[in-house]
Amino acid sequence: MAVTLILMRHGKSAYPDGVEDHERPLAPRGEREAALAGDWLRATQRAIDAVRCSTAQRTRLTLAATGIDAPVEYRDDIYEANPHTLIELIQLTDDAVSTLLLVGHVPGIPWTAWDLATNRDSDAATELSRKFPTSALAVLEFDRPWARVDQGTGELTHFHVPR
């Protein structure tokens, strides 16, 4: 049973005065690049079956800009999550889901991608280790069910920065 995990960092956010971090919207660049990320996903990846998304405004707006219309679960625990928390969340995914998109934040998203990857010497891993910009996507494939996804069990197949 092969499953695919796509980890996405939210789009570039705006910094309006008086708006708390959790409620910050996307900047126009963030909207544009998130839309490009959605185009790339549709052109290169299998259809997304489910989405887990942080409750932060910028992650919600990022997801909307991608145009991905899979069922979504918004979760508070993705905001400021560490890799351990995100991996536990991934492990709870229903086996009927073959492709999961998780939209979140730095540092949790890049650290989780790094922790899950077994092929850390690949070109994709080298790029990921340098920087994980806004709207970037890490795609990992696993040869096991979601409940057995853990550190060092996935192959990082793509790292894409939509520009």
Side-chain angles (χ1 to χ4, degrees):
M1 168 186 214
V3 296
T4 302
L5 172 66
I6 302 167
L7 297 169
M8 181 178 192
R9 182 180 176 194
H10 63 77
K12 176 72 176 163
S13 57
Y15 294 87
D17 290 336
V19 176
E20 292 189 27
D21 184 72
H22 193 270
E23 301 308 315
R24 284 191 291 128
L26 289 180
R29 180 180 119 194
E31 292 175 17
R32 183 178 66 255
E33 291 172 355
L36 291 172
D39 292 344
W40 183 84
L41 287 169
R42 281 183 291 283
T44 65
Q45 301 300 307
R46 293 185 302 189
I48 293 168
D49 301 308
V51 179
R52 297 236 171 86
C53 184
S54 165
T55 56
Q57 182 70 358
R58 62 191 175 274
T59 54
R60 289 173 172 265
L61 293 172
T62 296
L63 179 58
T66 67
I68 300 298
D69 62 358
V72 182
E73 181 182 359
Y74 294 100
R75 299 194 49 116
D76 289 326
D77 54 354
I78 296 173
Y79 184 75
E80 296 185 344
N82 61 38
H84 179 76
T85 300
L86 292 176
I87 291 170
E88 284 184 344
L89 179 63
I90 292 161
Q91 291 170 339
L92 297 174
T93 303
D94 188 288
D95 285 336
V97 172
S98 62
T99 303
L100 174 68
L101 171 63
L102 197 153
V103 185
H105 309 267
V106 164
I109 291 293
W111 288 357
T112 301
W114 184 257
D115 282 358
L116 290 173
T118 188
N119 57 328
R120 293 182 180 169
D121 58 349
S122 68
D123 291 342
T126 300
E127 288 180 49
L128 181 149
S129 70
R130 288 186 188 133
K131 187 175 181 184
F132 203 111
T134 53
S135 294
L137 300 149
V139 181
L140 294 111
E141 292 184 1
F142 300 88
D143 63 355
R144 61 196 64 224
W146 295 110
R148 293 184 38 229
V149 165
D150 212 341
Q151 292 183 342
T153 62
E155 181 183 354
L156 180 66
T157 60
H158 297 86
F159 180 69
H160 179 71
V161 180
R163 299 288 188 252

